[in-house]
Amino acid sequence: MAAAARCVRLLLRPRRYPLLSCLLRTSPRLLCIATQQKSTGQNLEDYQSQNEPKAEASSAEKIFIEEKAKLEEQLKEMTDKYKRALADTENLRQRSQKLVEEAKLYGIQSFCKDLLEVADVLEKATESVPKEELKDENPHLKNLYDGLVMTEVQIQKVFKKHGLLKLNPVGAKFDPYEHEALFHAPMEGKEPGSIALVSKVGYKLHGRTLRPALVGVVKEV
């Protein structure tokens, strides 16, 4: 303590340390700190560097918080974009798969339409043969008719194998998605809106109407 007191008295001498003497006289706290530092071997500059203003630390912390908030917002935005991209990719995959499946099912649609004309010709040919002429006395006509019938049956089997079904809706309710009305006429004993006559049969390919049936529809009297 005696040595510390001597150091203080030396520091208070204005001739040797005029600036430090003035500073210590105006601030007793600094005087005490200077005394303690002198006794421990520390100087005043070390003390001031260890006790910098907390404002700098607060400012750095504030900048860190702001940067963290920006990064979190960017992460949230990128995550949202990533999820949307995944959803769009999945939708595109499903649409592409559906198109491929439809192409497999309906790729023969144009070919089937052309074959329908052949089936119509066979049907008209068998209907045009007079049934009373189909006798043993006329074997050539009978054999020809039997061959036409067998061909028509076979072509209908091929149609069915590939998902092509005939529509012959006599007596059924009129459906604009499957039938095309050629005329409307009142008929006794028939329910209005039902089909009384089929002028040309229709066809469906895997549940989709390939050709609507041409029909006559019953109307109210």
Side-chain angles (χ1 to χ4, degrees), residues 73-141:
E73 184 66 24
Q74 291 178 1
L75 177 62
K76 182 179 179 181
E77 183 178 354
M78 293 299 296
T79 303
D80 184 61
K81 289 182 179 180
Y82 174 70
K83 290 181 179 180
R84 290 186 180 184
L86 283 180
D88 292 340
T89 304
E90 180 63 20
N91 291 335
L92 178 61
R93 187 191 66 79
Q94 291 179 358
R95 287 196 298 268
S96 300
Q97 185 177 359
K98 184 177 180 181
L99 290 175
V100 171
E101 292 176 354
E102 288 182 353
K104 291 179 180 179
L105 291 176
Y106 306 109
I108 61 173
Q109 180 171 313
S110 179
F111 179 67
C112 289
K113 282 185 177 181
D114 294 337
L115 284 180
L116 295 184
E117 300 298 328
V118 178
D120 292 339
V121 172
L122 286 173
E123 185 177 3
K124 288 181 179 180
T126 55
E127 290 177 352
S128 63
V129 176
K131 300 300 186 292
E132 61 273 9
E133 297 294 331
L134 298 176
K135 299 178 181 179
D136 295 335
E137 293 80 4
N138 196 357
H140 298 291
L141 180 61

Side-chain angles (χ1 to χ4, degrees), residues 202-213:
Y203 284 88
K204 295 178 71 174
L205 179 61
H206 295 292
R208 177 187 293 181
T209 301
L210 184 62
R211 187 182 76 182

Side-chain angles (χ1 to χ4, degrees), residues 7-219:
C7 291
V8 172
R9 286 196 297 270
L10 289 173
L11 291 172
L12 291 176
R13 291 180 182 179
R15 290 182 180 180
R16 292 191 177 184
Y17 307 99
L19 181 60
L20 185 57
S21 176
C22 180
L23 180 62
L24 293 175
R25 288 178 184 277
T26 56
S27 179
R29 182 185 177 189
L30 289 177
L31 178 60
C32 295
I33 294 171
T35 304
Q36 294 175 359
Q37 290 176 343
K38 190 67 177 178
S39 62
T40 56
Q42 296 179 350
N43 55 35
L44 185 60
E45 293 179 356
D46 294 338
Y47 174 80
Q48 290 178 347
S49 63
Q50 293 175 3
N51 295 273
E52 293 179 350
K54 293 184 179 181
E56 296 182 2
S58 300
S59 177
E61 183 178 357
K62 183 178 180 181
I63 294 174
F64 175 76
I65 294 174
E66 291 177 354
E67 290 296 329
K68 179 183 177 183
K70 290 180 181 179
L71 291 175
E72 288 178 348
E73 184 66 24
Q74 291 178 1
L75 177 62
K76 182 179 179 181
E77 183 178 354
M78 293 299 296
T79 303
D80 184 61
K81 289 182 179 180
Y82 174 70
K83 290 181 179 180
R84 290 186 180 184
L86 283 180
D88 292 340
T89 304
E90 180 63 20
N91 291 335
L92 178 61
R93 187 191 66 79
Q94 291 179 358
R95 287 196 298 268
S96 300
Q97 185 177 359
K98 184 177 180 181
L99 290 175
V100 171
E101 292 176 354
E102 288 182 353
K104 291 179 180 179
L105 291 176
Y106 306 109
I108 61 173
Q109 180 171 313
S110 179
F111 179 67
C112 289
K113 282 185 177 181
D114 294 337
L115 284 180
L116 295 184
E117 300 298 328
V118 178
D120 292 339
V121 172
L122 286 173
E123 185 177 3
K124 288 181 179 180
T126 55
E127 290 177 352
S128 63
V129 176
K131 300 300 186 292
E132 61 273 9
E133 297 294 331
L134 298 176
K135 299 178 181 179
D136 295 335
E137 293 80 4
N138 196 357
H140 298 291
L141 180 61
K142 188 175 184 300
N143 292 335
L144 177 63
Y145 176 80
D146 292 339
L148 290 174
V149 171
M150 291 175 62
T151 304
E152 184 181 6
V153 171
Q154 185 63 31
I155 198 171
Q156 290 299 327
K157 287 182 179 180
V158 174
F159 285 172
K160 187 176 181 180
K161 179 181 178 181
H162 293 280
L164 187 62
L165 301 178
K166 180 189 281 189
L167 295 176
N168 191 7
V170 176
K173 196 74 174 177
F174 177 77
D175 185 352
Y177 295 102
E178 297 181 357
H179 314 136
E180 182 178 343
L182 296 178
F183 61 88
H184 291 77
M187 293 185 182
E188 294 183 0
K190 300 286 186 179
E191 181 182 358
S194 62
I195 297 173
L197 177 66
V198 176
S199 176
K200 192 174 184 179
V201 296
Y203 284 88
K204 295 178 71 174
L205 179 61
H206 295 292
R208 177 187 293 181
T209 301
L210 184 62
R211 187 182 76 182
L214 303 181
V215 299
V217 183
V218 179
K219 72 175 183 179

